[in-house]
């Protein structure tokens, strides 16, 4: 036992090099690109991005964060609810991002926030209908009774623009290991339905700042933190998603100014989402016929 008594140093919490390529300087170009972006399917004005996840996962905060970036400052009037942890998003509503550089115009991508999924009861059936475009604006999610075909908010013949073009599952990085197995099951069910339809999916791993001290100090360490990578891998196997569809972000939550690093990571995720959604709609027929 030659090294008896010599203490091994604790393993390093970070890799020497980032394991995923990430430029931290494209911010302005990406904003410009996304401002000008138009879907590659002529029958469609807006790509619809639907967010699902547990209450408090950071769904509304992500929408607000993107809005902050496009408005150029922290917006006082949140476009999505910001009531921490409470399950308040009950109305089915599409949030468009206003384009400040040309007043009155909107972005070609929009978000749909949903009520958080929890272990009991739920809105899974309603979200499945929403994926296919059967849910009309203004519908109030009802945990007890899912939307029925006779309801005025039921869209019997959805068109391309009514359906969802990317499903985003939101998971907080500090909750991956302790996620309720029933929620995981529901998220998987939604993912499988989206896959059947052909809708692309990503996972947003929020709150990387809470999950990892290194990242809290310097967000640029997001791809050198071993802990964050581990949470992404866990998420990948729990939800059955490939690693390249798992996007870590930190949402704006108590900052009073915009921060470049936060923007870079948020925009990187948004760009990926928009690209996936656009790849999907490009493959669909350019006729505005009913889709389901
Ligand atoms: N530190 C930190 N807090 C976050 C982040 N994202 C959301 N939050 C906070 O987590 C709480 C729940 O977020 P919210 O967006 O309302 O979750 P939702 O229920 O999924 O819409 C709020 O207090 C947010 O300010 C993040 O990335 N980092
Ligand atoms: Mg919310």
């Amino acid at each position: 036992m030659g090294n008896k008594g010599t203490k091994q140093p604790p393993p390093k919490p970070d890799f020497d090099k980032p394991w995923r390529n990430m430029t931290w300087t494209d911010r302005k170009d990406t904003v410009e690109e996304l401002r000008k972006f138009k879907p590659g399917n002529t029958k469609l004005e807006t790509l619809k991005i639907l967010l699902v996840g547990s209450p408090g996962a950071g769904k509304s905060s992500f929408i607000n964060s993107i809005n902050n970036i496009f408005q150029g400052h922290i917006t006082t009037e949140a476009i999505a609810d910001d009531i921490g942890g409470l399950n308040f998003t009950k109305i089915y509503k599409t949030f468009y991002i206003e384009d400040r550089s040309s007043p009155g115009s909107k972005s070609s991508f929009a978000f749909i926030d949903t009520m958080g999924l929890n272990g009991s009861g739920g809105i899974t059936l309603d979200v499945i209908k929403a994926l296919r475009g059967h849910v009309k604006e203004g519908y109030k999610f009802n945990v007890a009774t899912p939307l029925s075909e006779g309801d005025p908010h039921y869209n019997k013949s959805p068109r391309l623009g009514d359906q969802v073009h990317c499903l985003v599952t939101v998971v907080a990085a500090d909750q991956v290991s302790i996620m309720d197995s029933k929620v995981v099951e529901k998220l998987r069910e939604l993912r499988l339905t989206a896959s059947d339809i052909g809708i692309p999916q990503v996972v947003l791993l929020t709150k990387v700042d809470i999950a990892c001290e290194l990242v809290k100090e310097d967000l640029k360490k997001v791809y050198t933190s071993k802990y964050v990578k581990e949470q992404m891998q866990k998420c990948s196997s729990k939800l059955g998603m490939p690693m390249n569809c798992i996007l870590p972000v930190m949402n704006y939550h108590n900052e009073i100014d915009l921060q470049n690093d936060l923007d870079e990571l948020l925009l990187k995720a948004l760009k990926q989402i928009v690209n996936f959604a656009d790849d999907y709609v490009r493959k669909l027929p350019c006729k505005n016929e009913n889709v389901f």
Side-chain angles (χ1 to χ4, degrees):
M1 298 283 167
N3 58 359
K4 198 178 172 188
T6 53
K7 259 195 172 170
Q8 291 290 322
K12 271 178 63 177
D14 54 345
F15 301 110
D16 293 333
K17 282 192 202 153
W19 58 273
R20 190 179 271 177
N21 259 343
M22 172 79 199
T23 45
W24 294 89
T25 51
D26 300 342
R27 202 191 152 279
K28 278 196 178 139
D29 292 347
T30 316
V31 168
E32 222 26 60
E33 207 180 305
L34 285 165
R35 273 204 175 115
K36 289 191 192 131
F37 167 81
K38 294 274 171 262
N41 186 311
T42 51
K43 281 295 167 216
L44 202 67
E45 280 183 2
T46 314
L47 295 178
K48 292 197 174 164
I49 301 160
L50 182 125
L51 289 88
V52 293
S54 304
K59 300 179 292 297
S60 306
S61 300
F62 178 70
I63 302 174
N64 289 330
S65 298
I66 298 297
N67 190 43
N68 288 341
I69 298 175
F70 281 84
Q71 303 318 309
H73 60 266
I74 304 287
T75 49
T76 48
E77 186 192 358
I79 58 165
D81 81 75
D82 63 348
I83 302 166
L86 293 179
N87 210 351
F88 268 149
T89 311
K90 287 195 174 149
I91 306 285
Y92 187 86
K93 182 175 185 304
T94 307
F95 295 102
Y96 293 88
I97 305 290
E98 297 281 335
D99 183 351
R100 273 169 69 90
S101 63
S102 71
S105 69
K106 296 182 291 197
S107 61
S108 300
F109 52 88
F111 300 98
I112 301 162
D113 203 352
T114 59
M115 252 177 97
L117 296 169
N118 47 30
S120 59
I123 54 152
T124 320
L125 291 174
D126 278 350
V127 175
I128 288 175
K129 291 190 188 95
L131 290 176
R132 296 182 186 273
H134 290 301
V135 183
K136 288 190 189 168
E137 292 282 306
Y139 169 67
K140 193 168 179 205
F141 286 109
N142 183 338
V143 178
T145 354
L147 181 64
S148 67
E149 292 196 17
D151 193 292
H153 283 108
Y154 188 89
N155 180 354
K156 285 199 183 74
S157 26
R159 303 214 159 181
L160 209 57
D162 298 320
Q163 67 154 116
V164 168
H165 309 111
C166 186
L167 171 67
V168 176
T169 302
V170 183
V171 179
D174 60 333
Q175 302 288 314
V176 179
S177 304
I178 53 170
M179 262 168 88
D180 186 332
S181 61
K182 286 195 190 130
V183 174
V184 174
E185 219 171 275
K186 285 180 181 177
L187 291 173
R188 282 190 79 119
E189 190 187 334
L190 289 176
R191 259 193 20 70
L192 290 175
T193 309
S195 293
D196 279 350
I197 305 171
I199 299 172
Q201 302 132 42
V202 304
V203 173
L204 270 185
L205 193 73
T206 59
K207 306 193 187 184
V208 287
D209 55 314
I210 297 183
C212 176
E213 200 58 36
L214 281 179
V215 176
K216 186 178 184 167
E217 279 165 23
D218 179 4
L219 191 59
K220 286 203 176 83
K221 299 220 164 123
V222 67
Y223 288 122
T224 49
S225 158
K226 288 182 181 170
Y227 187 75
V228 169
K229 187 175 185 195
E230 216 176 281
Q231 300 318 302
M232 289 171 69
Q233 282 165 332
K234 269 191 195 156
C235 215
S236 160
S237 66
K238 269 196 177 184
L239 298 173
M241 286 284 280
M243 276 293 268
N244 61 1
C245 295
I246 303 192
L247 311 168
V249 291
M250 174 179 166
N251 289 322
Y252 281 101
H253 59 290
N254 59 11
E255 297 73 12
I256 54 167
D257 291 313
L258 291 182
Q259 291 174 16
N260 281 351
D261 293 350
L262 262 77
D263 288 3
E264 295 284 352
L265 206 54
L266 286 160
L267 286 167
K268 189 94 179 166
L270 176 62
K271 190 148 174 256
Q272 191 102 335
I273 292 169
V274 168
N275 283 345
F276 282 169
D278 197 40
D279 287 346
Y280 168 58
V281 301
R282 275 171 191 272
K283 287 188 218 126
L284 298 174
C286 283
K287 284 179 275 173
N288 201 3
E289 57 198 11
N290 297 342
V291 281
F292 295 106

